[in-house]
Amino acid sequence: MKIGRNDPCWCGSGKKYKSCHLAFDDKLESLKNRGMVIPTRKMIKTPEQIEGIREASKVNTDVLDFITPFVVEGVSTGELDRRIYEYTKSIDAIPACLGYMGYPKSVCISINDVVCHGIPSDDTILKDGDIVNIDCTTKYKGYYGDSSRMFMIGDVDPVWQKLVTDTKQALDIGVEVCKEPWVTIGDIGYAINTFATKQGYQVVREIGGHGVGLEIHEDPYVSHVGRPGTDCVLAPGMVFTIEPMINLGTHEVYQDADDGWTIYTDDGQPSAQWEYTLVMTDHGVEILAH
């Protein structure tokens, strides 16, 4: 049913619709009439929800800051996982990956040709020359923050080093696209893919960013390959991740048939990934978790 101007707004703010989301909805309707894909109301977070996600994101960033000094040659990924679990619990938060759809550990730790979803193990030891991604999602007071970082262990091949730093630049380029609201996910994907291919890399297509905050994974899907002006509009109130996975070789990947989680590059070449949680505001994007 159509909401009256003086009715309570659909967002639950308690304000009248005309002084809350009426102009916002009119803007989206105008974009829809131009053939653009607009977000559902479920994708729009309230100010209270955004504040909760902001707090959870700060906690998630704190967890990654905590583990950083321990990511060194000779440590097992199993030990890193245990440290993250114990620290997260000590600050009254929850390691959100643990048990998610059956995932057995608290974080994902992906090394070299592992694109993502690497399962920590006491048998996996970080070695000189490795590049490592730690992808952490934390639940705090009912909300979620999600981010990942790359680490370089010891004497890393300069070509691999460049892959790591260029992937971070690709993420920053994606964020820069969002300096104003109402851009599209296609704009982000186009900018990231254009930069990556100019460097001689290929961008993973099957896995991308996503909405986040009330659940670990929400709509919309955020592709890192796209065309300008296509895919969902990013409106104020949307919370999502940008997390390009960029490969030195082919973009093609495969899933480990035994564990059902680990994603590898198809040609055995290395992959890098960085991830932020972001919220779109009336003035552009704000980084929440990094």
Side-chain angles (χ1 to χ4, degrees):
M1 292 179 63
K2 187 173 178 63
I3 303 174
R5 292 173 54 86
N6 292 311
D7 290 339
C9 186
W10 55 261
C11 74
S13 66
K15 298 178 182 179
K16 292 182 178 180
Y17 181 49
K18 65 182 179 183
S19 58
C20 195
H21 272 93
L22 175 58
F24 175 91
D25 284 350
D26 285 346
K27 172 74 173 181
L28 287 181
E29 188 65 22
S30 173
L31 293 171
K32 182 179 178 182
N33 290 338
R34 288 162 47 191
M36 302 186 76
V37 179
I38 63 171
T40 65
R41 287 177 177 174
K42 189 176 181 180
M43 296 182 197
I44 309 301
K45 305 296 191 291
T46 67
E48 293 77 16
Q49 289 170 337
I50 291 170
E51 190 53 42
I53 299 165
R54 180 179 285 111
E55 191 174 6
S57 294
K58 288 179 180 177
V59 172
N60 193 75
T61 299
D62 183 39
V63 173
L64 282 174
D65 287 344
F66 161 78
I67 202 61
T68 293
F70 299 102
V71 187
V72 295
E73 183 179 355
V75 71
S76 74
T77 57
E79 179 181 337
L80 295 176
D81 177 79
R82 283 190 295 277
R83 286 186 181 275
I84 286 174
Y85 174 82
E86 291 165 1
Y87 181 73
T88 304
K89 299 297 285 187
S90 76
I91 56 175
D92 297 321
I94 297 170
C97 290
L98 185 60
Y100 175 71
M101 297 182 68
Y103 186 75
K105 298 293 182 177
S106 296
V107 291
C108 298
I109 304 181
S110 304
I111 304 172
N112 299 338
D113 64 330
V114 177
V115 177
C116 61
H117 304 162
I119 301 175
S121 168
D122 289 337
D123 296 327
T124 304
I125 310 297
L126 299 188
K127 303 185 300 295
D128 180 62
D130 284 342
I131 59 172
V132 183
N133 177 268
I134 298 184
D135 189 347
C136 184
T137 307
T138 305
K139 184 178 183 180
Y140 186 68
K141 296 182 179 179
Y143 297 98
Y144 294 85
D146 184 8
S147 54
S148 81
R149 299 178 188 173
M150 292 298 298
F151 300 86
M152 294 187 278
I153 310 300
D155 186 17
V156 175
D157 184 312
V159 174
W160 292 26
Q161 290 183 38
K162 187 175 186 298
L163 172 66
V164 171
T165 56
D166 283 348
T167 301
K168 176 60 164 58
Q169 187 173 346
L171 169 58
D172 292 337
I173 287 169
V175 172
E176 179 64 19
V177 169
C178 302
K179 62 185 178 182
E180 299 287 344
W182 314 109
V183 297
T184 70
I185 290 173
D187 297 328
I188 296 172
Y190 177 78
I192 289 174
N193 189 53
T194 298
F195 169 77
T197 54
K198 283 182 178 178
Q199 309 310 310
Y201 309 128
Q202 294 197 27
V203 180
V204 173
R205 288 149 168 73
E206 292 88 347
I207 310 162
H210 51 87
V212 67
L214 306 185
E215 302 291 342
I216 295 180
H217 290 102
E218 304 173 11
D219 289 332
Y221 175 72
V222 180
S223 176
H224 303 114
V225 176
R227 292 183 294 110
T230 64
D231 213 326
C232 189
V233 169
L234 293 172
M238 295 178 71
V239 180
F240 56 97
T241 71
I242 301 177
E243 48 182 300
M245 295 160 228
I246 297 180
N247 298 348
L248 189 59
T250 179
H251 66 82
E252 295 180 350
V253 300
Y254 70 92
Q255 184 180 72
D256 188 298
D258 293 326
D259 67 35
W261 283 99
T262 310
I263 305 296
Y264 294 92
T265 60
D266 197 54
D267 58 5
Q269 293 271 42
S271 181
Q273 177 197 17
W274 295 80
E275 177 184 13
Y276 292 159
T277 292
L278 310 110
V279 59
M280 183 59 78
T281 76
D282 291 327
H283 308 291
V285 80
E286 174 191 345
I287 299 171
L288 299 181
H290 56 87

